Amino acid sequence: SPRVGRALRGVTLPRCFVAHARRVPNPVVSDFTEPRATTSGGGDRGPADEITYTRQTDSLAKLQPMVPTLPLKVPPQRYRGSGFPPYVRRLLKWRQMDLEYTAWQAWLMCVNPRLVYRHTTYRKQTKNRWARDDPAFVVLTGLLVCFVTLLYCAFYSHALAQTGYVTLCAVLVDYVTLGALVATANWFLANRFLRARSANHSHAVEQRVEWLFAFDIHVNAFFPTCITLYLVQLVLSPLLLTTGLLPRIASCALYCGSLCYYHYCTFLGYAALPFLDRTTVFLYPAYLTTALTPIAIFAGFNPTRFVLSIYFHDILG
């Protein structure tokens, strides 16, 4: 329009506009401007005076920046099939791991695990996934298991080969393999029996528990358990390995509290999913552990002596 043309006078256009204007062979003629009357002799207009209309070319209508168009809807990233291999590849990329945020989450799992799963809900709202895309927590917990196991070997191992064997078993068998089996069992239980059946919303999207999120729940719950059953037990092992009623009570109480807290953190993880019902079933093992602890004490069972004798056969003397 004429107002746009007058407003753009003296404005330096970007190079993309100038280059595009040079490629336009025939500028398009815009609408008429306001009529301008011309007189023949200065004075009142006569009938012979004609009213001429000037046209103004407007090539700005054809000048559009060559900006690439973006899709209106970005499909959410999924872990079914194509999402899991990038997660594995990121295990070796330290620069892509948020270690500060991971350390903060590890601290919260020991003092306030509910807050960790509240951030899981935020991640679902922003990234459309429940599981973490950063394997830093898994790596941090694995390094902690390896470090504490080496400390055990420094106190109770007498051979270098035994040290390597115990370390590999603690990391690959106890942490990774058993953790994957526990996560798979909980994942199957949640998807098969605990999903809410909503008949009123027939057009709602069906949601399922991601296996990687089930493994995240296990790793989150395993971290405080590793602190108590690995590190605290190592500090108290001179007392817990002795015979008598007091070491037996202390050892059973340590294992009972650690396992109950593990199952409680597992319950919080699955309770954060809004499409699951009856998630209190994940607390049943905690009730069973609490009920069996007095029986183990009166039966003379010391869990610390039993577990350490599996890796260090001569520890019982």
Side-chain angles (χ1 to χ4, degrees):
S1 64
R3 295 181 180 178
V4 176
R6 288 194 297 269
L8 292 178
R9 289 178 183 176
V11 179
T12 303
L13 297 177
R15 294 182 179 179
C16 62
F17 284 94
V18 177
H20 186 73
R22 291 176 180 175
R23 291 196 296 269
V24 178
N26 296 322
V28 179
V29 178
S30 67
D31 297 335
F32 293 103
T33 61
E34 297 179 357
R36 184 179 61 187
T38 59
T39 59
S40 57
D44 295 335
R45 251 188 337 224
D49 297 331
E50 60 179 3
I51 300 176
T52 61
Y53 295 90
T54 59
R55 296 183 177 182
Q56 183 179 9
T57 59
D58 185 14
S59 60
L60 294 177
K62 288 293 185 179
L63 300 181
Q64 297 180 357
M66 298 159 49
V67 180
T69 59
L70 297 177
L72 297 179
K73 184 178 180 181
V74 180
Q77 300 182 8
R78 301 180 182 275
Y79 280 101
R80 296 178 180 177
S82 61
F84 189 73
Y87 182 88
V88 176
R89 289 195 296 266
R90 291 188 63 181
L91 289 172
L92 302 178
K93 297 180 180 180
W94 286 92
R95 295 182 178 180
Q96 297 184 5
M97 297 182 184
D98 193 352
L99 298 179
E100 183 178 356
Y101 178 71
T102 301
W104 178 72
Q105 279 193 323
W107 166 255
L108 286 181
M109 285 305 303
C110 299
V111 296
N112 189 9
R114 286 183 178 272
L115 187 58
V116 175
Y117 293 110
R118 189 181 305 170
H119 284 266
T120 300
T121 305
Y122 299 154
R123 181 168 57 247
K124 176 62 177 178
Q125 296 173 355
T126 55
K127 297 184 178 181
N128 197 20
R129 65 159 63 100
W130 293 103
R132 283 189 293 254
D133 55 353
D134 187 4
F137 201 100
V138 178
V139 176
L140 178 65
T141 308
L143 292 178
L144 178 63
V145 172
C146 181
F147 173 73
V148 178
T149 305
L150 290 176
L151 291 180
Y152 273 97
C153 294
F155 283 99
Y156 300 109
S157 179
H158 304 288
L160 184 61
Q162 185 184 16
T163 301
Y165 171 76
V166 171
T167 304
L168 290 177
C169 287
V171 175
L172 298 181
V173 178
D174 297 346
Y175 176 55
V176 178
T177 304
L178 291 181
L181 292 177
V182 172
T184 303
N186 292 336
W187 167 77
F188 175 78
L189 175 65
N191 286 327
R192 183 67 177 85
F193 301 104
L194 303 182
R195 283 192 303 153
R197 306 294 180 180
S198 179
N200 296 328
H201 303 280
S202 59
H203 299 285
V205 179
E206 183 181 8
Q207 300 188 64
R208 301 179 66 88
V209 180
E210 305 166 1
W211 185 91
L212 198 56
F213 181 68
F215 188 72
D216 279 346
I217 293 176
H218 164 73
V219 175
N220 291 342
F222 185 81
F223 182 83
T225 306
C226 179
I227 296 295
T228 54
L229 290 188
Y230 283 69
L231 192 57
V232 175
Q233 181 178 246
L234 175 63
V235 176
L236 299 179
S237 59
L239 172 64
L240 300 178
L241 289 175
T242 57
T243 58
L245 180 62
L246 181 61
R248 194 162 61 243
I249 294 177
S251 179
C252 290
L254 178 64
Y255 271 80
C256 177
S258 301
L259 294 179
C260 288
Y261 192 77
Y262 170 85
H263 293 297
Y264 172 70
C265 294
T266 302
F267 158 74
L268 291 179
Y270 288 98
L273 301 178
F275 55 90
L276 292 183
D277 287 337
R278 304 182 306 276
T279 53
T280 53
V281 297
F282 294 102
L283 292 176
Y284 293 166
Y287 301 149
L288 181 62
T289 302
T290 305
L292 292 179
T293 298
I295 300 176
I297 293 175
F298 289 109
F301 178 71
N302 189 326
T304 300
R305 294 172 60 90
F306 174 76
V307 172
L308 293 184
S309 64
I310 297 177
Y311 299 101
F312 310 102
H313 303 286
D314 55 346
I315 198 171
L316 300 181

